[in-house]
Amino acid sequence: THDLILHGSCFPFLNLAHAHFIFKMAAVQGGLADTNEEKDIKTEPSSDGFGNNNANDGRVLSTSPGSSASAGINKSATGAPEDQQTLLAVLQFLRKNKLTESVEILRREAGLPEDSPELKGSDSSGAGSGGAAGSGDKEGGDASSLLSRVTISSSAVAQTSSVTAAGEDQPDVNVVLSAYNQQGDPPLYQVYYSGLKKFIESVLDCHRAELSQLFYPLFVHMYLELVYNNHESEAKAFFEKFSGDQECYYEDDLRVLSSLSKREHMRGNETLMDFRTSKFVLRISRDSYQLLKRHLQERQNNQIWNIIQEHLYIDIFDGMPRSKGQIDAMSGSLAGEGKREANKAKVYYGLLKEPEIELPLDDEDEEAENEEGKPKKKKPKKDSMGSKSKKQDPNAPSQTRIPLPELKDSDKLDKIMYMKEATKRIRLGPDNLPSICFYSFLNAYQGLTAVDFTDDSSLIAGGFADSTVRVWSVTPKKLRKVKSAADLNLIDKESDDVLERIMDEKTASESKILYGHSGPVYGISFSPDRNYLLSSSEDGTVRLWSLQTFTCLVGYKGHNYPVWDTHFSPHGYYFVSGGHDRVARLWATDHYQPLRMFSGHLADVTCTRFHPNSNYVATGSSDRTIRLWDVLNGNCVRIFTGHKGPIHALAFSPNGKFLASGATDGRVLLWDIGHGLMIGELKGHTDTIYSLRFSRDGEILASGSMDNTVRLWDAMKAFDDLETDDFTAATGHVHLQDNSQELLLGTYMSKSTPVIHLHFTRRNLLLATGAYNP
Amino acid sequence: MAEERRQKQCSVSLPTESMKAMAESVGVGQLQEESCAALSEEVSYRIKEIAQDALKFMRHGKRRKLTTNDIDNALKLKNVEPLYGFQSQEFIPFRFASGGGRELYFYEEKEVDLSDIINTPLPRVPLDVSLKAHWLSIEGVQPSIPENPPPAPKEQQKVESTEPLKVVKPGQEEEGTIQGKSQGATPADGKGKDKGLIRLKPRSTHELSVEQQLYYKEITEACVGSCEAKRAEALQSIATDPGLYQMLPRFSTFISEGVRVNVVQNNLALLIYLMRMVKALMDNPTLYLEKYLHELIPAVVTCIVSKQLCLRPDVDNHWALRDFAARLMAQSCKTFSTTTNNIQSRITKTFTKSWLDDKTQWTTRYGCIAGLAELGPDVIKTLILPRLTVEGARIKAVMEGPVVSNIDKIGADHVQSLLLKHCASVIAKIRPQPDNMEQYRTDYGYLGPMLCSHVMKARTQAALQAQQVNRTTLTITQPRPTLTVSQSGLSGSAGSRTPSIIKVPSSLTLMTPRPGTPSQPSPPATKYIVMATSAGASSTQQYEFTSVSFATSTLQPLVKLESGSGPGLTSSRPMQKYIVVSLPSSASSSLETKSSVLPTSISTTPLEAAMKLDRSESPGASTQSPH
């Protein structure tokens, strides 16, 4: 038990994300292991409990609607209660596993009172932390009358006083664990729902759009309640009657719901697990909320009120109610909108200072000198780029915020090449569109699943469904392996061209095939120095390949399920991967275990991307949200909602300020990272967007899609049109004008070749790739 | 709509019969109804779950098609063993079986002998993945190269040509054309509701790049040049290349002018080449030809009915050109005729009018009849059959009367064989069985007896084929839609459709535009009158009739009619399937017909070419016929 104690005492110091992760993993396991009946039974209740914990965690971040609305208690729940909450969660976990000794020790260490009510009474408490239905609350009168029929009291009201609150109406904790208990007459559900519907339809126009947000989560939870309590036919009737009212972008989820008609089905279903474990977040203006609350109180509509209390998180803001358009722009994700608080953290989106490199003579100078017959001489010349970036950007993270690898000589050479190329870069703009060179993969037989270019555009790598990874050289320079160890011994190591001598001329070819994976390769990424290649596959591994020897160096095992995407940090060394297990992992190439786990997504992590300054990682997910994670501490610093389908493409603008995302809904959304706001919507594609890329100077955004088109967008205009003053209002809702057509600069159709990757060369030539589907 | 669909989604589940069938297949009999229901719900739910996961794999595989591998991977996610060995590249051929009041769909798994697999030679190694680069866009403009899609898809071409006046702001159009760079970007017009809008027909420009100009030059030269191989290549290019839209006006003018000139010069070879170009253009699926019919149709019609198409009408086989052009005409009627342009009725009128004219030359007469006959059995029935007696008398006058000129005789001979060929099949279908020589003579005059023998031959042929078809259709499970589509005009009335009576108003819309529509053979007199009044309909078409130089020549042997339109004649077997299967035989038989002409006729280059066009016209006839 000593180990356990240590373990337990460590727990409070973990951050929330980790706790989240552990719970999530339990949930995932519970969901996926339904072949193993025994295990299932074990994990099921635990995931329930964690679900509630998660909800509690969420609640900690802000005040509950009830208290902030009527009691006017301000956002008091910050640091301290947060820790306490986590602690309680841990205690609950230990308690459930009958580790009473550890509980005692932990409680002693944390200085918790021995007999805090929510820890007493039952073997699985946790949810009890939220017990004590508003007993200490000012508004207790109406609230408790409302809640009088309720068997569970919501944890919402009482969290500030959770530790000390006395429990006269102590809830039955077991009921809380079964998230959907019997709460009313099943046939009346339709009446409840249509009553609310009638009310919402009758309110003033300005409130209607806001309150309409309630429909979907209420619908889902009421349906699930019916199913959970085995009212199959009522559930079906309920679904048929009201599913048509829901917004069309929830169709995918509704399809999942519709297939579910039995309590047993709920067990393994991940989507449902998400509905149960996470709270659906709504943003509603105070006026609208008051209206709703008054209505529900008048009608004594406890049923709906309970659901709102238990399963919804209502983020109330002061000010004008939002319009339908504003709401539609932000909604659509699996769990509602991101909370405003979630996007408040400071993000250092600025770029890191470029290392100062002495730039040798320009080509022109060299030529000129050669013509004049002068001998070459190296004179140190200040790089203009370097001097420009000398001023420290206030938004940039400090150079050492995360340890970055030292620049090697070869890296410096590459930087020099980059700068030289940059001087020849074409300035793009609406009047000066880039040329597009299309690399078609022929004879791929629908098997091409991922593509990447090196930054200098000299190599292409393709991942295929037949588990192979292929690398092509698109320059005349052929791909060569390093000689074998025996041959290397024979080389004169002092010679100048030793790097040339180590290569085996016999192996020169235009393409190389890398074998090693045992499933389709879904993600692929070159290291910035072109020495390594990463590939992630259905087999659950990420592999690191050497482009010197064309062999596999490391297989990173951690994801147990398909790994959908992987991406190298722009500074090398680190990389991120994300997959079906809903966790994105940060790795370093020399560690076989992940350095960070970014957990929080409610569905598969479909794409991952490093910020240009390597301090942040963006992940897109099937839960239709984008999250930005801090590499330093693993925290989620931004949640962007608004997509209506799984996200398959992400791109940071070169200045690090903006993020573009593309999804199966065919829309590109633009986000301001610093303010955490959606700032643009680009409509035009008719199918999944698989690739997004900003031009090197950030003027043009290129998007490639399954609909066989490459589209170019005026990124400068999209960002400039923005009224930055509005941001300070910090209401979090922007009014997007529908100017996609004006921003669209060009559409280029390929001949039945879906565009799955785009890349701007250093001189701003756009390269596009896809597999030709005859 | 969406609601309906959703409700469907909600209720879809496997039928309990499936559960029973599956239980039986694994040896569990007598499954209770309740367990079946419970099972089916559970199974449906699990299948849906797996399908949803499989979709994820499809999306990440960057595909639109769900494959069996996706399902396997989804099963793996659930810790279920995937279905090993269930590989399917394309569709899974589910077979249907019924019996005992149950209907089953099953996947036929054949037992394979291992030694068979081992002994079969290895299949060809599939081509390796390769990379190919091309310019998708050069500084914002998409070059029209074969690697890129055609600049204007057919739909857009159609919209451009048919869209009536668009609302355009003054000056906006200019901007649009200047800003050609953003060609793909749909212009934001149509939403402007400002004052002072002018309705303008959008101007479509057809600028040719240097490459396109070169291409055009090469193609046209190859098409009318002397090298047959090059010509074949050029025609192939016209028929398949997607980027010809910009050149279409040029091609159209080239053909129209070419026909005009070469008819005057009686250059049969060139006329044939030009017709083959028309054919190639019509075959190209990416071109919207409707805009250029006003140039192409007169050219084609000229090649059908012109008095003289060659320098030596006695020896040159200009008949083949007429036949070919007539088929082209029929094809364009079928594809382009609408109720607005009335192409078919106008063409029919043109043909009938000149046919009815007593002074019409035999060559033109032949062309008219060929043109009409190709339009389908209904046209033959309504327009040609009633005229058989008159025409027969005319032929008799030439054949048996005093020798006026050899040319006339050849002409009459050709007309006769043409009539026999086309009419026999139709008569065989509409006339009751006993074929009496005398009866035929009274009904059809001079041509009667010959018709009778042809009809009998056609009947036996049809019966024979029907038998074969009967045998073969059983094995053919896949319908072959291409056949039905391409030949529907001919086969339209081959079945047991009852002819509907079409009221004939005295207006221009006398004829139903579609060949397939059967019409009651109305008394010829009324019809002719209407025809005469509508003479102006085709006034835009110009025909260059040049004087015919008469010369005597050898008689060509009668064309041997093999089957006409084949088993379509079997009126007692009105099954669609037969029609479908037998159709190519009409094409192939016409081929045979031609080839029987060939050895005796003086073979000149144009004739060879004509042969080629016949072949090219019925591609795959041999492969499609079931025997």
Side-chain angles (χ1 to χ4, degrees), chain B residues 159-168 173 198-204 291:
Chain B
V159 168
E160 263 177 32
S161 60
T162 53
E163 185 107 318
L165 309 173
K166 246 188 197 166
V167 180
V168 180
E173 197 211 18
I198 303 172
R199 290 182 154 263
L200 283 178
K201 180 124 180 146
R203 192 171 56 194
S204 54
K291 239 168 143 179

Short mmCIF file of all heavy atoms in Angstrom, two decimals, chain B residues 159-168 173 198-204 291:
data_model
loop_
_atom_site.label_atom_id
_atom_site.label_comp_id
_atom_site.label_asym_id
_atom_site.label_seq_id
_atom_site.Cartn_x
_atom_site.Cartn_y
_atom_site.Cartn_z
N VAL B 159 -25.38 25.92 -70.63
CA VAL B 159 -25.92 27.11 -69.98
C VAL B 159 -25.57 28.34 -70.79
O VAL B 159 -26.40 29.20 -71.05
CB VAL B 159 -25.37 27.23 -68.55
CG1 VAL B 159 -25.67 28.59 -67.98
CG2 VAL B 159 -25.94 26.14 -67.67
N GLU B 160 -24.32 28.37 -71.25
CA GLU B 160 -23.89 29.52 -72.04
C GLU B 160 -24.74 29.71 -73.27
O GLU B 160 -25.06 30.81 -73.67
CB GLU B 160 -22.43 29.33 -72.46
CG GLU B 160 -21.47 30.03 -71.54
CD GLU B 160 -20.05 29.75 -71.94
OE1 GLU B 160 -19.79 29.57 -73.14
OE2 GLU B 160 -19.19 29.69 -71.04
N SER B 161 -25.07 28.60 -73.91
CA SER B 161 -25.75 28.75 -75.19
C SER B 161 -27.26 28.85 -75.03
O SER B 161 -27.92 29.43 -75.87
CB SER B 161 -25.40 27.59 -76.10
OG SER B 161 -25.80 26.39 -75.50
N THR B 162 -27.79 28.27 -73.97
CA THR B 162 -29.24 28.29 -73.88
C THR B 162 -29.77 29.34 -72.93
O THR B 162 -30.88 29.80 -73.09
CB THR B 162 -29.77 26.93 -73.39
OG1 THR B 162 -29.10 26.61 -72.19
CG2 THR B 162 -29.56 25.87 -74.43
N GLU B 163 -28.94 29.72 -71.96
CA GLU B 163 -29.40 30.72 -71.01
C GLU B 163 -29.82 31.96 -71.76
O GLU B 163 -29.01 32.58 -72.44
CB GLU B 163 -28.26 31.06 -70.03
CG GLU B 163 -28.71 31.99 -68.96
CD GLU B 163 -28.85 31.24 -67.64
OE1 GLU B 163 -29.37 30.11 -67.63
OE2 GLU B 163 -28.43 31.80 -66.64
N PRO B 164 -31.05 32.34 -71.62
CA PRO B 164 -31.42 33.58 -72.27
C PRO B 164 -30.81 34.73 -71.50
O PRO B 164 -30.09 34.54 -70.55
CB PRO B 164 -32.94 33.58 -72.19
CG PRO B 164 -33.26 32.69 -71.04
CD PRO B 164 -32.12 31.75 -70.85
N LEU B 165 -31.17 35.89 -71.92
CA LEU B 165 -30.49 37.08 -71.44
C LEU B 165 -30.22 37.07 -69.95
O LEU B 165 -31.11 36.80 -69.15
CB LEU B 165 -31.37 38.28 -71.77
CG LEU B 165 -31.78 38.26 -73.23
CD1 LEU B 165 -32.78 39.33 -73.51
CD2 LEU B 165 -30.55 38.42 -74.12
N LYS B 166 -29.02 37.36 -69.62
CA LYS B 166 -28.63 37.45 -68.22
C LYS B 166 -28.67 38.90 -67.81
O LYS B 166 -28.40 39.78 -68.62
CB LYS B 166 -27.20 36.94 -68.06
CG LYS B 166 -27.09 35.66 -67.26
CD LYS B 166 -25.64 35.39 -67.02
CE LYS B 166 -25.42 33.96 -66.60
NZ LYS B 166 -24.03 33.59 -66.67
N VAL B 167 -28.96 39.09 -66.56
CA VAL B 167 -28.95 40.47 -66.09
C VAL B 167 -27.52 40.86 -65.77
O VAL B 167 -26.87 40.24 -64.95
CB VAL B 167 -29.83 40.63 -64.84
CG1 VAL B 167 -29.82 42.06 -64.38
CG2 VAL B 167 -31.24 40.19 -65.16
N VAL B 168 -27.07 41.84 -66.47
CA VAL B 168 -25.68 42.23 -66.28
C VAL B 168 -25.64 43.72 -66.04
O VAL B 168 -26.32 44.49 -66.70
CB VAL B 168 -24.86 41.89 -67.54
CG1 VAL B 168 -23.42 42.30 -67.32
CG2 VAL B 168 -24.95 40.42 -67.84
N GLU B 173 -19.60 43.25 -67.40
CA GLU B 173 -19.17 42.19 -68.30
C GLU B 173 -17.74 42.42 -68.75
O GLU B 173 -16.95 41.50 -68.83
CB GLU B 173 -20.11 42.16 -69.50
CG GLU B 173 -20.00 40.86 -70.25
CD GLU B 173 -20.28 41.05 -71.70
OE1 GLU B 173 -20.22 42.20 -72.18
OE2 GLU B 173 -20.54 40.06 -72.37
N ILE B 198 -28.89 46.18 -67.73
CA ILE B 198 -29.13 45.89 -69.13
C ILE B 198 -29.15 44.40 -69.31
O ILE B 198 -28.31 43.69 -68.75
CB ILE B 198 -28.02 46.50 -70.01
CG1 ILE B 198 -27.95 48.00 -69.77
CG2 ILE B 198 -28.29 46.19 -71.47
CD1 ILE B 198 -26.78 48.65 -70.41
N ARG B 199 -30.09 43.93 -70.07
CA ARG B 199 -30.13 42.50 -70.32
C ARG B 199 -29.24 42.20 -71.51
O ARG B 199 -29.47 42.68 -72.61
CB ARG B 199 -31.56 42.05 -70.60
CG ARG B 199 -32.40 42.12 -69.35
CD ARG B 199 -33.80 41.64 -69.62
NE ARG B 199 -34.39 41.14 -68.39
CZ ARG B 199 -34.40 39.87 -68.06
NH1 ARG B 199 -33.89 38.97 -68.86
NH2 ARG B 199 -34.94 39.48 -66.92
N LEU B 200 -28.23 41.44 -71.25
CA LEU B 200 -27.27 41.16 -72.31
C LEU B 200 -27.09 39.67 -72.41
O LEU B 200 -27.08 38.96 -71.41
CB LEU B 200 -25.92 41.78 -71.98
CG LEU B 200 -25.77 43.27 -72.19
CD1 LEU B 200 -24.39 43.69 -71.77
CD2 LEU B 200 -26.01 43.61 -73.64
N LYS B 201 -26.96 39.21 -73.57
CA LYS B 201 -26.59 37.81 -73.73
C LYS B 201 -25.10 37.72 -73.43
O LYS B 201 -24.30 38.48 -73.97
CB LYS B 201 -26.85 37.38 -75.17
CG LYS B 201 -26.49 35.94 -75.40
CD LYS B 201 -27.67 35.18 -75.94
CE LYS B 201 -27.25 33.76 -76.15
NZ LYS B 201 -28.32 32.83 -75.89
N PRO B 202 -24.74 36.84 -72.51
CA PRO B 202 -23.31 36.78 -72.19
C PRO B 202 -22.50 36.40 -73.42
O PRO B 202 -22.89 35.51 -74.18
CB PRO B 202 -23.23 35.71 -71.11
CG PRO B 202 -24.48 34.93 -71.24
CD PRO B 202 -25.51 35.84 -71.78
N ARG B 203 -21.44 37.09 -73.58
CA ARG B 203 -20.63 36.86 -74.77
C ARG B 203 -19.69 35.71 -74.47
O ARG B 203 -18.99 35.72 -73.46
CB ARG B 203 -19.86 38.12 -75.06
CG ARG B 203 -19.20 38.14 -76.41
CD ARG B 203 -18.67 39.52 -76.64
NE ARG B 203 -17.76 39.90 -75.56
CZ ARG B 203 -17.38 41.16 -75.38
NH1 ARG B 203 -17.81 42.11 -76.17
NH2 ARG B 203 -16.55 41.45 -74.41
N SER B 204 -19.70 34.74 -75.30
CA SER B 204 -18.73 33.67 -75.08
C SER B 204 -17.62 33.82 -76.13
O SER B 204 -17.88 33.88 -77.32
CB SER B 204 -19.40 32.31 -75.19
OG SER B 204 -20.07 32.21 -76.42
N LYS B 291 -25.25 24.14 -80.25
CA LYS B 291 -25.04 25.50 -80.74
C LYS B 291 -24.65 25.52 -82.21
O LYS B 291 -24.79 26.54 -82.87
CB LYS B 291 -23.89 26.10 -79.93
CG LYS B 291 -24.21 27.33 -79.18
CD LYS B 291 -23.04 27.55 -78.24
CE LYS B 291 -22.69 29.00 -78.07
NZ LYS B 291 -21.57 29.13 -77.14
#
